[in-house]
Amino acid sequence: MTDPIRIVFALFPGVTHLDFTGPHQILARLPGAIVDVASLAGGEIEADGLIFAHLKRLDQIEACDILCVPGGFGTTQAMGDEAFLGEVKRLAWSARYVTSVCTGSLVLAAAGLLEGKRAACHWAWRDQLALFGAVPDEARVVRDGRFVTGGGVTAGVDFALTLAAEIAGSAVAQAIQLAVEYAPDPPFQSGRPELAPPEVLARVRRIYDNGMDERRSAAVRAAAKLGRSEATPVLNPV
Amino acid sequence: MTDPIRIVFALFPGVTHLDFTGPHQILARLPGAIVDVASLAGGEIEADGLIFAHLKRLDQIEACDILCVPGGFGTTQAMGDEAFLGEVKRLAWSARYVTSVCTGSLVLAAAGLLEGKRAACHWAWRDQLALFGAVPDEARVVRDGRFVTGGGVTAGVDFALTLAAEIAGSAVAQAIQLAVEYAPDPPFQSGRPELAPPEVLARVRRIYDNGMDERRSAAVRAAAKLGRSEATPVLNPV
């Protein structure tokens, strides 16, 4: 008899869907996996044009083994949503693994969970982890004790396979990798700022710059709520 | 003014969600992208435990530039669903690109669209393309004229970036790659049968063998409907 592994993806409006569909497709295949996709209000969540329905309410979930918080532009609001952060904190309390993909680590940080911990994040937001006393780590998958965090969006697949191996052994993780034919072969090598052509990096930065002040201010406010006053003056350092 | 690019993902019950969420996350970022996620009946589709809601009905969509059919275990039924195949055929007629991920190419083949064409497919089902007169190609992304097909599940990301570059140029595709931080770094090299350790391959084959006769029979029946009589005797050749 395989022990059940209760996995919860904690969604919020404005989540990036691939941040959790990638890991979901992999972790749901773990022997014994029982997966809940939940949000504060339950029901439906829109994510980049896809609508995910019949979500549970987070407060309906008593506990889980793996808590995973994905990222997305909605983290700006999620970092300031006390009720959502409260549920994340409650489930994190007893979880064996507290995890995130992309800017989901900022939500974990805003819930006060990453102080002194190394964590991954989407490259364009990674530095904001420091506002919460977390240690930004540029690795694609970062493990610090029971905290396992992945980098931006597609890092969720590497994160999930790493966690799958940790939980069920490398043979199971490799079998899942084979089943989802994960032998990546990108047509370009442009997936990290230090790899991308300068004009490509500049193009993406221009897009992100629009609204970055607001997003950073949200992180500063969330950090201040945790009593981190040193956060306050650090607005867009270059 | 950017010309609109109308993209349709044609879903069916039992679709593998990452087959389309991966490409969706990328193609939806193309300048001018208008994305519809649709099924025969519209409404909701369950995929590996996730429920996608507010889908359009395929017959509500007049035409599109890119038609993408994902795969999944549900292709066994989809290959025999005349109404679904009819909609796929209708939309394919005028599409600039007719595409698939994973076993979605078997649906395109069952719709009579791949005769004489090279196509990709999930490795474990790839040989079934030949039943329809298509030419199985083990590449991760295969282009044959306006037909662009991807291999199993995670190949959808490589497929989508390839198509993005074709449509909007490599700078746009590279910018999307950077935005989704696609610098894959799998913890194992087990993503193709020829790479996986033999015991891992055997484990996955055992899982797939359960029900493979039924799935192959469905392909043979679908091929027979297209008048391909040579398909009939080829049951599980080894």
Side-chain angles (χ1 to χ4, degrees):
Chain A
M1 207 33 216
T2 309
D3 284 338
I5 302 170
R6 296 157 306 164
I7 303 167
V8 172
F9 290 94
L11 310 191
F12 48 85
V15 64
T16 294
H17 63 70
L18 190 53
D19 286 13
F20 69 91
T21 56
H24 182 284
Q25 193 77 76
I26 285 165
L27 296 177
R29 294 174 189 227
L30 283 175
I34 299 169
V35 187
D36 279 316
V37 182
S39 67
L40 191 62
E44 295 184 354
I45 284 271
E46 194 264 339
D48 307 307
L50 293 181
I51 296 163
F52 295 84
H54 301 281
L55 305 187
K56 279 201 178 167
R57 287 200 325 266
L58 284 164
D59 67 9
Q60 293 174 312
I61 298 170
E62 203 180 326
C64 62
D65 297 294
I66 302 173
L67 173 66
C68 184
V69 181
F73 285 106
T75 48
T76 306
Q77 286 72 46
M79 281 189 293
D81 183 336
E82 289 302 319
F84 180 70
L85 296 179
E87 292 297 336
V88 166
K89 212 150 64 174
R90 180 181 64 80
L91 289 168
W93 180 259
S94 59
R96 245 171 93 199
Y97 296 99
V98 178
T99 76
S100 65
V101 175
C102 198
T103 50
S105 57
L106 292 172
V107 174
L108 295 182
L113 294 164
L114 293 185
E115 203 169 330
K117 306 283 179 197
R118 285 184 304 110
C121 190
H122 188 290
W123 61 266
W125 282 263
R126 195 190 294 140
D127 64 323
Q128 295 185 14
L129 283 169
L131 297 169
F132 299 94
V135 183
D137 190 316
E138 65 171 30
R140 195 154 169 87
V141 181
V142 175
R143 166 117 194 233
D144 190 337
R146 67 189 184 113
F147 296 90
V148 187
T149 52
V153 195
T154 57
V157 172
D158 297 318
F159 147 79
L161 287 171
T162 304
L163 191 60
E166 161 89 19
I167 287 170
S170 61
V172 168
Q174 286 174 305
I176 297 172
Q177 181 179 7
L178 180 56
V180 299
E181 210 168 320
Y182 187 50
D185 186 16
F188 307 101
Q189 301 306 322
S190 184
R192 295 175 66 96
E194 64 274 22
L195 299 174
E199 67 279 12
V200 168
L201 179 57
R203 176 196 285 257
V204 176
R205 280 210 192 278
R206 270 198 305 277
I207 295 167
Y208 288 159
D209 278 351
N210 183 16
M212 190 57 96
D213 283 354
E214 184 202 336
R215 291 198 289 278
R216 194 175 180 87
S217 299
V220 168
R221 280 195 305 277
K225 276 195 202 160
L226 295 173
R228 299 199 66 86
S229 60
E230 73 269 39
T232 318
V234 197
L235 269 165
N236 282 326
V238 180
Chain B
M1 206 32 216
T2 308
D3 284 338
I5 303 171
R6 297 157 305 165
I7 303 166
V8 172
F9 290 94
L11 309 192
F12 47 85
V15 64
T16 294
H17 64 69
L18 190 53
D19 286 14
F20 70 91
T21 55
H24 182 285
Q25 193 78 75
I26 285 165
L27 296 176
R29 295 174 189 225
L30 283 174
I34 300 169
V35 187
D36 279 318
V37 182
S39 67
L40 191 62
E44 295 184 353
I45 283 271
E46 194 264 338
D48 307 307
L50 292 181
I51 295 164
F52 295 84
H54 301 279
L55 305 187
K56 279 200 178 167
R57 286 200 326 265
L58 284 164
D59 67 8
Q60 292 174 313
I61 299 169
E62 203 180 326
C64 62
D65 298 294
I66 302 173
L67 173 66
C68 184
V69 180
F73 285 106
T75 49
T76 305
Q77 286 71 47
M79 281 189 293
D81 183 337
E82 289 302 318
F84 181 70
L85 296 179
E87 291 298 334
V88 165
K89 211 149 66 175
R90 180 181 65 79
L91 288 168
W93 181 258
S94 60
R96 245 170 93 199
Y97 296 99
V98 179
T99 75
S100 65
V101 175
C102 198
T103 51
S105 57
L106 292 173
V107 174
L108 295 182
L113 294 163
L114 292 185
E115 202 167 331
K117 306 283 180 197
R118 285 184 305 109
C121 190
H122 188 291
W123 61 266
W125 281 264
R126 196 190 294 138
D127 63 324
Q128 296 185 13
L129 283 168
L131 298 169
F132 300 94
V135 183
D137 191 317
E138 64 170 31
R140 196 154 168 86
V141 182
V142 175
R143 167 115 194 234
D144 190 336
R146 67 189 183 112
F147 296 90
V148 187
T149 50
V153 195
T154 56
V157 171
D158 297 319
F159 148 80
L161 287 171
T162 304
L163 191 61
E166 161 89 19
I167 288 169
S170 61
V172 168
Q174 287 174 304
I176 296 173
Q177 180 179 8
L178 180 57
V180 299
E181 210 169 318
Y182 187 49
D185 186 17
F188 307 101
Q189 300 306 323
S190 184
R192 295 177 64 97
E194 64 274 21
L195 299 174
E199 67 279 11
V200 167
L201 179 57
R203 176 196 286 257
V204 176
R205 280 210 192 278
R206 271 197 305 277
I207 295 167
Y208 288 159
D209 278 350
N210 183 15
M212 190 57 97
D213 282 354
E214 184 203 339
R215 293 198 289 278
R216 193 175 182 90
S217 300
V220 168
R221 281 195 305 277
K225 276 195 203 162
L226 295 173
R228 299 199 65 84
S229 59
E230 72 270 38
T232 316
V234 196
L235 267 167
N236 283 325
V238 180

